[in-house]
Amino acid sequence: MLLFRLRRIAFCLCALMVPAAVYADPTPVVLQADSGSPQLLVDGQPYYIKGGGGDGSKADLAAAGGNTFRTWGVDDTTGLLLDEAQKHGLKVVVGIWLGHERHGFDYSDVDQVAKQFDHVRASVLKHKDHPALLAWGLGNEMEGFGDGGNAAIWSHVQACAALVKELDPHHPTITVIAEIGGQRVPAIHRLCPDIDIIGINSYGGGPSIPERYKAAGGTKPYIVTEFGPPGTWEVKRNSFDVVNELTSTQKAEIYRNVYEKLKVDPQCLGSFAFTWGFKQEATATWFGMYLPNGNKAAAVDAMTLAWSGKPASNLCPTIEPLKLSVGKVDPGGSIRVELVTSDPEGKPVNVDWQLHAEAEVYFTGGDFQQSPPQYPEAIRDASATGATLVMPDEPGKYRVYAFVDDGEGGGAMANAPILVKGEDTGPKGLSSKLPFVVYDDKPSAPNFTPSGYMGEAEAITMTPDDRGEPFAGDTNLKVTYNQGSGWGGVVWQHPPNDWGDKSGGFDLTGATKLVFHARGEKGGEVIEFGFGLLGDDKAFPDSGGNSTEVTLTTRWKQYSIDLADLDLTRIKTGFYWTLAANGNPKSFYLDAIRYE
């Protein structure tokens, strides 16, 4: 039910061969749980977790009064993050990713489970003596979003926890679950005696966790490992099946309320506000405590006051929900949007108006989601009090954003969904314009979604990357296959997660080639790229398809797939890649994928 974070499935099995780092004596962390008021002791002193979860600035976290952050998986950056934490006086709950069944992990497969067990061993040996380590987080929502009662999963969690205690007796063990429903709490208490603390990811239910956890039979101490505004799965949809998002001002009150409700529960050892940073998940701003332009939102101010007891030195502007003249329009129709915002310190504010296509999937389980396209040409007559929108001609769902900036790093956000009426219901795919951009900084809309994971899906990570010299724009897509055996791949689909059972796709008639740009991490990576995987055995197949196999170099290179003489009237799987490990993990980069 809950969330992925940018690093959370990025563990590197090649770390098994890396010798353990050498530090001075570890900082012992003791869990005193004998009384009705358990507590953590660090260097003999009580320690209550004031945490942030996400990739945002650790210096800002410390300055706000936070003392801890968490990670979701062990990879090549873990040691650097621990060093950074030590620099800023922070502690880290180091997460060790455990495979998800929805990604293809099979807890009845001896080879997969043994390999994961070895990964846990290597991770602990490598980082157990780092002075910034607070605790080990074994898995994150690996029980899935159903009943959560798979005994094979909890037996493996127990085996991993016992191993961690054998290798590192100085730091407690945590396992993290998606809320507390079903068999989660009873299963951990019965099957995982070596799990010291239960981590709970909870959003809409955050304020009631103290009462509900006890009612579920919880006696172990707990930490709320993710909290924030209600999730998209907890919000009622409007008349055109879209969720309404709270403003940044409204969200701040939720963060404050949840923290205060948890703080007074003696069984709770602390909490992690999510996400300390920003990310595209359902919308550009749903879970972000920071805005896409880097400004903090009011949630940061709320946590600063809660953690430190002092207000932030610069308070964020306040903002009210947007008011639309109309929420549904014909293609090309106009809408007037009204905005009310102010700065508590009286500073003048600027407003950046944006129109985005709506994400086709709200619930991603935290997996990577490509940012939808924007329509800057739709914004007219914009000011700090409102704007006029001239909507695109393409029927579909959109969202208008108002981003407020106080000029000193403080921001605010409100948005509202809009429907452009009309729908293509014919046998062809949706009409489209060329070039049709599948992936870059300004993709087409609507678009294909990279939702079809194949093969050893749990070994695949795909994340936006701005550090690897993108071919064009600000980011490219980094793809990693994390193990040395098997094969994997990802398909860009429309509709998302559909393998030919639903109508959809795009009419790309007129395109003569599919162009993409790729480079390898080390060079020599052999990858198959293509489109049109669905055959006539499906109810709704691709009308055509083609592929090419290439050997990548470390430099960006343009590749293309010939579309001549192909029927492109309904392309449902618009792009894919596959690879075989052949003994080694592989990483490569993609950018500028388009039909021309």
Side-chain angles (χ1 to χ4, degrees):
M1 184 188 306
L2 305 173
L3 304 164
F4 166 352
R5 335 305 167 221
L6 290 180
R7 291 193 181 91
R8 87 176 191 178
I9 58 178
F11 63 80
C12 180
L13 293 178
C14 62
L16 297 175
M17 305 304 294
V18 178
V22 178
Y23 303 100
D25 292 338
T27 302
V29 178
V30 176
L31 172 62
Q32 288 189 339
D34 298 334
S35 67
S37 299
Q39 63 179 349
L40 292 171
L41 299 178
V42 177
D43 286 332
Q45 300 300 312
Y47 190 94
Y48 185 81
I49 294 173
K50 302 174 181 180
D55 291 332
S57 166
K58 305 307 183 285
D60 288 351
L61 178 63
N67 61 11
T68 314
F69 64 90
R70 63 174 290 216
T71 69
W72 281 258
V74 172
D75 61 16
D76 292 339
T77 68
T78 301
L80 297 175
L81 287 170
L82 284 163
D83 290 345
E84 186 178 8
Q86 184 71 5
K87 174 183 176 182
H88 296 295
L90 302 171
K91 296 293 183 183
V92 186
V93 173
V94 174
I96 303 177
W97 185 258
L98 300 182
H100 287 205
E101 291 177 304
R102 67 188 178 88
H103 290 145
F105 196 92
D106 183 356
Y107 278 88
S108 67
D109 185 310
V110 172
D111 290 337
Q112 287 189 21
V113 170
K115 186 179 295 182
Q116 185 159 268
F117 190 76
D118 288 341
H119 172 64
V120 173
R121 180 192 302 275
S123 300
V124 173
L125 289 175
K126 187 172 183 180
H127 299 294
K128 66 185 181 67
D129 295 328
H130 199 290
L133 175 64
L134 181 71
W136 297 102
L138 292 169
N140 185 85
E141 302 179 0
M142 61 281 150
E143 82 282 4
F145 309 124
D147 179 72
N150 186 342
I153 293 176
W154 300 119
S155 296
H156 180 62
V157 170
Q158 164 56 22
C160 291
L163 173 66
V164 171
K165 286 185 171 295
E166 176 186 341
L167 299 174
D168 178 13
H170 301 297
H171 299 96
T173 56
I174 303 169
T175 192
V176 178
I177 54 177
E179 256 289 345
I180 58 173
Q183 295 301 308
R184 291 168 176 81
V185 175
I188 295 171
H189 280 76
R190 295 176 65 186
L191 299 177
C192 303
D194 286 304
I195 288 294
D196 299 313
I197 303 164
I198 296 182
I200 303 167
N201 293 343
S202 182
Y203 289 85
S208 62
I209 283 291
E211 294 79 15
R212 292 190 295 118
Y213 182 67
K214 292 178 180 63
T219 58
K220 291 178 183 281
Y222 72 89
I223 299 165
V224 173
T225 37
E226 292 175 19
F227 75 91
T232 53
W233 58 92
E234 299 171 304
V235 175
K236 183 179 179 180
R237 300 198 179 194
N238 70 7
S239 62
F240 49 97
D241 200 34
V242 171
V243 291
N244 291 305
E245 181 175 348
L246 299 174
T247 69
S248 56
T249 300
Q250 292 170 322
K251 291 178 187 178
E253 178 61 21
I254 291 175
Y255 280 93
R256 182 201 62 77
N257 181 51
V258 174
Y259 182 83
E260 289 183 354
K261 291 290 180 65
L262 298 173
K263 186 72 168 63
V264 297
D265 183 6
Q267 211 167 348
C268 180
L269 301 177
S271 56
F272 291 86
F274 185 83
T275 178
W276 189 262
F278 65 89
K279 68 185 296 258
Q280 168 69 39
E281 186 164 350
T283 74
T285 52
W286 196 281
F287 296 105
M289 299 175 72
Y290 285 79
L291 302 177
N293 63 5
N295 283 344
K296 66 172 182 170
V300 175
D301 291 349
M303 296 316 302
T304 299
L305 181 60
W307 290 335
S308 70
K310 300 176 182 178
S313 58
N314 173 50
L315 295 176
C316 291
T318 62
I319 192 168
E320 296 183 12
L322 299 180
K323 294 183 178 180
L324 306 183
S325 60
V326 63
K328 301 177 183 179
V329 296
D330 292 324
S334 294
I335 297 176
R336 183 63 189 172
V337 187
E338 295 182 4
L339 168 66
V340 176
T341 183
S342 63
D343 185 83
E345 290 129 352
K347 293 188 294 290
V349 297
N350 293 315
V351 181
D352 178 23
W353 291 92
Q354 297 180 11
L355 181 68
H356 297 203
E358 186 74 343
E360 295 201 44
V361 176
Y362 290 141
F363 179 69
T364 69
D367 295 341
F368 164 72
Q369 185 176 58
Q370 183 169 309
S371 296
Q374 297 185 32
Y375 300 84
E377 68 280 1
I379 308 298
R380 314 285 176 87
D381 302 325
S383 71
T385 59
T388 297
L389 308 179
V390 178
M391 297 302 294
D393 293 331
E394 184 69 43
K397 301 168 186 177
Y398 299 83
R399 191 173 293 263
V400 58
Y401 291 80
F403 292 105
V404 181
D405 183 351
D406 70 1
E408 297 183 11
M413 182 285 309
N415 67 45
I418 299 168
L419 177 69
V420 174
K421 294 180 286 187
E423 183 177 0
D424 187 343
T425 58
K428 296 183 179 181
L430 295 171
S431 61
S432 60
K433 297 179 181 179
L434 298 175
F436 186 95
V437 179
V438 177
Y439 177 86
D440 71 4
D441 288 348
K442 296 181 179 180
S444 297
N447 210 317
F448 301 102
T449 300
S451 53
Y453 282 68
M454 304 182 292
E456 304 288 341
E458 77 282 355
I460 300 169
T461 67
M462 296 204 310
T463 57
D465 182 80
D466 60 1
R467 297 167 295 178
E469 298 181 357
F471 173 79
D474 296 328
T475 62
N476 54 206
L477 190 62
K478 182 176 182 180
V479 180
T480 300
Y481 185 81
N482 288 306
Q483 63 187 39
S485 61
W487 71 281
V490 174
V491 187
W492 275 247
Q493 300 168 306
H494 186 274
N497 303 304
D498 174 59
W499 295 95
D501 299 319
K502 302 176 183 178
S503 62
F506 297 94
D507 182 354
L508 298 170
T509 300
T512 59
K513 57 184 177 180
L514 169 57
V515 174
F516 59 96
H517 297 77
R519 69 175 182 89
E521 179 97 320
K522 298 179 179 178
E525 298 87 352
V526 178
I527 318 289
E528 179 181 318
F529 298 99
F531 76 100
L533 280 179
L534 303 177
D536 290 337
D537 58 322
K538 302 295 184 180
F540 299 94
D542 288 294
S543 59
N546 201 355
S547 65
T548 184
E549 184 175 274
V550 302
T551 301
L552 301 178
T553 71
T554 57
R555 294 181 177 273
W556 285 110
K557 183 177 178 181
Q558 176 176 299
Y559 302 92
S560 65
I561 297 174
D562 185 21
L563 306 180
D565 302 322
L566 294 178
D567 181 357
L568 304 177
T569 54
R570 183 171 62 197
I571 302 302
K572 298 182 82 271
T573 55
F575 186 74
Y576 72 83
W577 64 264
T578 63
L579 63 80
N582 296 327
N584 295 295
K586 291 180 171 65
S587 292
F588 65 96
Y589 299 84
L590 284 168
D591 205 352
I593 307 170
R594 62 183 181 269
Y595 285 82
E596 296 182 345

